[in-house]
Amino acid sequence: MILISRICEMWTVLLTTACIIVKVSGDTELDLKKLQQDFYEWRLKDSPEYSSEIGQVKYNDIVTDFSVEQLDKRKKIVEDYIMKLNKIDRIRLSKDQQYSYDVFLDTMQTFVNNYKWRHYGALNPITALEGFQTDPAFFLKVTPFDTKGDFENYIARLIAYPKQIDQIIKRFSMAIHVSATYHNVTIAHVPGQLAKLIVSDPTQSVYFTPFNDTIKKLAVPQAEIDDMVKRGKEATANFIKSIKLLKSFIETIYMPNTRKSYGVDGWKDGQEYYKACLKWHLSTDMSPAEVHQKGLDEVKRIREEITKVMREKEGFHGTLSQFYQIIKARPSLHMSTGGDLLQEYKNIIFKRIYPALPKMFKNIPDLKVVVEEEPYDGPGGQYLIGTEDGSRPGVFQVNLLKPSKSPTFNMMALSLHETVPGHHLQGSYALKAGLPGFQKNIEYERYFAIPYHFPFYTAYTEGWGLYAESLGEDLGLYKNYMELIGRYGFEIFRGCRLVVDTGLHYFKWSREQAVQYMIDNTPLPRAEIETEINRYITWPGQACAYKIGEIKIRELRERARAALGGKFDIKDFHSVVLTHGAVPLNLLETIVNDWIKETVNNHAPGIVG
Ligand SMILES: *[C@@H]1O[C@H](CO)[C@@H](O)[C@H](O)[C@H]1NC(C)=O
Ligand SMILES: *[C@@H]1O[C@H](CO)[C@@H](O)[C@H](O)[C@H]1NC(C)=O
């Protein structure tokens, strides 16, 4: 729109001609927007649980279709959208619209191109890291319970879940049939997770919780409430019954048929499959060998940084691993209670980081982040994005269960990564950038289906998270060498992932080889490393995205600095990177290059939009 009026001003003399151009390009833009909106609507309906998560209530009464047939149906639908997109003349769009067009095409093309892998991960919809059983409390949290309609929707979903579980079992069965099952480590914890949901009295179930108290607040006749409670109880009981079935299926049928190799190279064409996963996550062309080598180089470089501090500041001459075990055990580097830990996270984020942000960012969106206790014993911290209107804030969930195992020197790097300038700031710019729905709200779920899934541009997203950790240095936020040691520990760990992920899935590394490499090069004790390795085995390629994305952002920043010299403004650079939402790394490069050109020519003082 801004562009259109500018054209009109510049061409007043040729008003008639100009306005014809405007009309045509306006229509093209409208066509694109309409098609994107249409696609987004389909995505919401196709992923109803995800719709609820982003605050859309329209599909709160249905659940995701996990049938095997759906794998084919989705491809047809997406191909149809691609055909329609091909009819839109990209060249008539404004620059920003062209980027959006490119993301749209890449999103759909990535999906369709990977159709040939539909009978791999996509047939195995539940892992210890993913599935309804991992965090039922979250599902309840994003479901509204304010009206009778909300409860009716919820009951409809409870009724639909047994059918969904049926579909999940069918997919798993097919995975066994085509020899594309997970390694046992991916699934081994699932029966235990399911067991927690199985109770003999449905009113004791977590799924029944809303019928206990919340429902009493409804302003509807008691008889209607009683009726809903009755149906809720029945539906919960049936749901639990099918959870039991699923558990027994996994234990007695799936587990004995799990694949023997740790890496996906054990599957037919597994190395090709791994390359497809890697490309999906990295959104750039890098071979497993290049990723592996980059990892080795990074680990060597970061090791030197750590060794320097270790020797110079602490006079320590043992191994890196010994050093971290010693400092992690120091009582002076711990909080004594979970409550203290929570308070310290808040101090770090709100008293130390936020005041420093304006040095490197401008137009910071006013969307809040809150720090809360993680409801289960998961990772050290994780971020859940809020809603665009701010009605649900972004949430930084922190693990408060083990203060004695959570050294304070890690807290700064973790906070930078998950909140600001990391994922919360990144998500906030994207939410406020006026992007179409499918770009603004990305479904960071269904990892299992990758690469037959819509990309969420892991390298951009996680690369930024890691880049945010490094910004802590630029902003002078690491207040002593201990906090810096925490940061290096996080960083070397991401470097190791490049080596180990490719090692396991492509270069026939044994699990023990992977464990040993990480023991030698990261701060983590063996038990935590084993959990990590299981994650890499479960999500091939995902762990490589962090370091590759960060390196790319840094490279683009240095390129811009060199090209622009005195005209380089770090705030503008960050806006350019953040205001187009999550994009493939290849497109990010184009966007930054275009911006450099514009700035050199001095046409645009800052960025458009
Ligand atoms: C619901 O209320 C019943 C009866 O008061 C109680 O026994 C049960 O524990 C409650 N269930 C949940 C999930 O809180
Ligand atoms: C899978 O792991 C479970 C839990 O550790 C174990 O009981 C089972 O024997 C394992 N199965 C296979 C095939 O390795």
Side-chain angles (χ1 to χ4, degrees):
M1 285 303 167
I2 291 165
L3 192 77
I4 289 164
S5 65
R6 206 195 295 158
I7 291 173
C8 268
E9 276 164 38
M10 281 176 356
W11 293 83
T12 23
V13 198
L14 300 166
L15 194 65
T16 343
T17 331
C19 281
I20 289 168
I21 294 168
V22 168
K23 185 167 179 299
V24 175
S25 82
D27 281 355
T28 312
E29 181 177 330
L30 227 63
D31 288 347
L32 177 66
K33 284 195 167 148
K34 206 176 149 294
L35 191 62
Q36 289 177 330
Q37 181 56 29
D38 215 51
F39 173 76
Y40 183 53
E41 274 304 318
W42 170 70
R43 289 282 292 122
L44 290 178
K45 196 171 174 187
D46 190 56
S47 265
E49 288 94 341
Y50 162 70
S51 294
S52 311
E53 281 169 34
I54 57 169
Q56 301 267 359
V57 298
K58 240 185 286 187
Y59 306 112
N60 275 12
D61 58 336
I62 56 174
V63 302
T64 303
D65 184 348
F66 276 104
S67 66
V68 172
E69 300 77 57
Q70 193 61 20
L71 293 170
D72 289 314
K73 281 190 212 154
R74 283 201 185 101
K75 174 177 173 254
K76 292 221 173 61
I77 293 169
V78 177
E79 277 173 342
D80 196 49
Y81 278 114
I82 292 178
M83 246 163 55
K84 287 181 183 154
L85 182 61
N86 283 336
K87 289 193 188 125
I88 292 177
D89 196 357
R90 182 181 176 279
I91 214 79
R92 284 172 185 266
L93 297 164
S94 72
K95 238 228 160 111
D96 277 357
Q97 291 298 323
Q98 288 184 3
Y99 298 147
S100 182
Y101 176 106
D102 296 342
V103 177
F104 191 25
L105 185 59
D106 184 82
T107 293
M108 300 194 289
Q109 205 72 63
T110 300
F111 185 78
V112 169
N113 287 349
N114 287 305
Y115 172 72
K116 62 168 173 265
W117 303 114
R118 71 199 174 283
H119 290 162
Y120 285 69
L123 291 181
N124 302 270
I126 286 181
T127 70
L129 299 174
E130 199 174 29
F132 68 94
Q133 84 291 355
T134 52
D135 189 4
F138 179 67
F139 166 61
L140 289 169
K141 193 171 164 177
V142 300
T143 305
F145 291 104
D146 302 321
T147 66
K148 179 164 189 267
D150 290 339
F151 273 91
E152 288 295 353
N153 286 340
Y154 180 62
I155 294 172
R157 270 195 176 161
L158 288 179
I159 291 173
Y161 274 125
K163 187 178 159 213
Q164 193 190 56
I165 289 187
D166 212 45
Q167 294 173 331
I168 289 172
I169 292 178
K170 287 215 177 81
R171 279 205 193 184
F172 272 141
S173 307
M174 188 163 168
I176 295 173
H177 184 69
V178 300
S179 302
T181 53
Y182 291 128
H183 186 277
N184 202 37
V185 296
T186 294
I187 199 96
H189 292 297
V190 172
Q193 294 171 333
L194 293 171
K196 285 191 193 146
L197 300 176
I198 299 172
V199 287
S200 49
D201 173 3
T203 66
Q204 300 296 320
S205 163
V206 55
Y207 292 107
F208 189 76
T209 331
F211 296 103
N212 252 6
D213 302 316
T214 320
I215 200 164
K216 290 183 193 136
K217 291 181 197 128
L218 291 186
V220 298
Q222 187 60 38
E224 285 177 29
I225 289 188
D226 292 345
D227 175 57
M228 284 195 287
V229 171
K230 181 168 158 282
R231 285 183 289 128
K233 189 171 152 185
E234 255 170 47
T236 304
N238 278 331
F239 186 18
I240 294 172
K241 234 188 266 170
S242 61
I243 294 175
K244 267 193 213 160
L245 276 179
L246 177 63
K247 176 170 176 284
S248 121
F249 170 85
I250 290 176
E251 283 170 326
T252 60
I253 299 177
Y254 190 87
M255 275 173 145
N257 284 293
T258 41
R259 79 165 181 258
K260 298 291 170 281
S261 69
Y262 284 106
V264 290
D265 51 2
W267 284 342
K268 183 174 175 290
D269 297 327
Q271 284 188 322
E272 288 308 305
Y273 171 77
Y274 179 65
K275 280 193 208 160
C277 291
L278 202 57
K279 184 166 168 78
W280 193 97
H281 283 294
L282 302 185
S283 59
T284 184
D285 290 305
M286 271 180 96
S287 68
E290 286 170 311
V291 172
H292 194 81
Q293 187 56 47
K294 185 62 89 181
L296 292 170
D297 296 345
E298 281 293 282
V299 169
K300 180 164 178 286
R301 178 185 66 76
I302 307 160
R303 261 195 94 94
E304 281 162 13
E305 303 267 8
I306 297 174
T307 308
K308 213 166 95 194
V309 179
M310 214 164 83
R311 303 264 154 85
E312 286 172 13
K313 304 282 186 186
E314 290 269 336
F316 186 83
H317 289 271
T319 68
L320 184 147
S321 171
Q322 285 166 345
F323 175 64
Y324 273 100
Q325 298 328 312
I326 290 168
I327 56 174
K328 276 200 268 185
R330 276 183 202 158
S332 62
L333 297 175
H334 289 277
M335 293 286 157
S336 38
T337 67
D340 294 343
L341 207 52
L342 185 68
Q343 190 51 50
E344 184 57 14
Y345 273 116
K346 290 181 181 170
N347 291 344
I348 287 175
I349 295 162
F350 301 111
K351 299 217 172 102
R352 290 172 61 193
I353 308 178
Y354 260 106
L357 287 185
K359 282 187 223 163
M360 290 193 142
F361 294 90
K362 59 181 199 185
N363 306 326
I364 298 171
D366 183 24
L367 286 174
K368 301 224 161 3
V369 61
V370 295
V371 193
E372 286 178 4
E373 176 170 12
E374 198 173 69
Y376 56 96
D377 192 6
Q382 56 188 348
Y383 175 70
L384 308 172
I385 195 160
T387 48
E388 184 185 349
D389 62 2
S391 60
R392 196 180 72 226
V395 182
F396 176 35
Q397 287 188 340
V398 286
N399 191 329
L400 302 179
L401 293 173
K402 300 171 281 197
S404 69
K405 287 194 171 162
S406 312
T408 44
F409 60 75
N410 281 338
M411 296 172 79
M412 177 52 87
L414 184 63
S415 302
L416 289 164
H417 182 105
E418 303 292 347
T419 65
V420 289
H423 292 321
H424 178 67
L425 194 65
Q426 175 182 46
S428 301
Y429 274 100
L431 282 172
K432 292 291 186 195
L435 298 169
F438 81 98
Q439 274 182 275
K440 194 163 43 191
N441 296 303
I442 290 180
E443 183 189 19
Y444 296 105
E445 279 164 48
R446 296 199 221 170
Y447 279 78
F448 66 86
I450 292 165
Y452 187 46
H453 188 32
F454 300 101
F456 35 78
Y457 303 122
T458 325
Y460 172 90
T461 323
E462 293 302 350
W464 179 267
L466 183 52
Y467 174 74
E469 291 172 36
S470 77
L471 284 184
E473 285 191 57
D474 299 315
L475 291 167
L477 285 169
Y478 295 105
K479 69 178 173 195
N480 52 37
Y481 72 86
M482 269 303 158
E483 284 193 343
L484 211 48
I485 273 291
R487 146 150 169 75
Y488 292 152
F490 276 24
E491 196 189 14
I492 199 165
F493 168 60
R494 269 61 157 266
C496 285
R497 284 172 163 181
L498 304 184
V499 179
V500 168
D501 196 90
T502 49
L504 281 166
H505 291 292
Y506 199 83
F507 295 112
K508 310 216 178 292
W509 277 33
S510 71
R511 185 166 192 276
E512 191 45 39
Q513 199 177 349
V515 169
Q516 194 56 50
Y517 184 81
M518 293 197 66
I519 286 180
D520 292 342
N521 292 296
T522 72
L524 300 185
R526 177 176 269 271
E528 281 176 47
I529 287 175
E530 293 197 351
T531 309
E532 270 293 315
I533 302 272
N534 290 350
R535 168 177 151 169
Y536 311 154
I537 291 169
T538 303
W539 289 343
Q542 195 270 351
C544 298
Y546 299 69
K547 197 77 200 138
I548 297 300
E550 180 238 10
I551 290 171
K552 178 56 79 180
I553 295 169
R554 198 156 274 287
E555 174 197 316
L556 295 176
R557 177 170 122 176
E558 290 325 305
R559 182 187 303 173
R561 194 192 296 281
L564 297 178
K567 283 183 188 167
F568 178 79
D569 182 341
I570 187 80
K571 294 180 197 173
D572 287 341
F573 173 76
H574 286 154
S575 289
V576 168
V577 172
L578 291 174
T579 52
H580 297 91
V583 295
L585 289 188
N586 290 337
L587 178 60
L588 184 65
E589 184 150 5
T590 305
I591 292 173
V592 172
N593 285 343
D594 288 351
W595 169 70
I596 293 174
K597 259 182 254 156
E598 275 170 40
T599 313
V600 165
N601 297 336
N602 243 339
H603 280 321
I607 53 143
V608 183

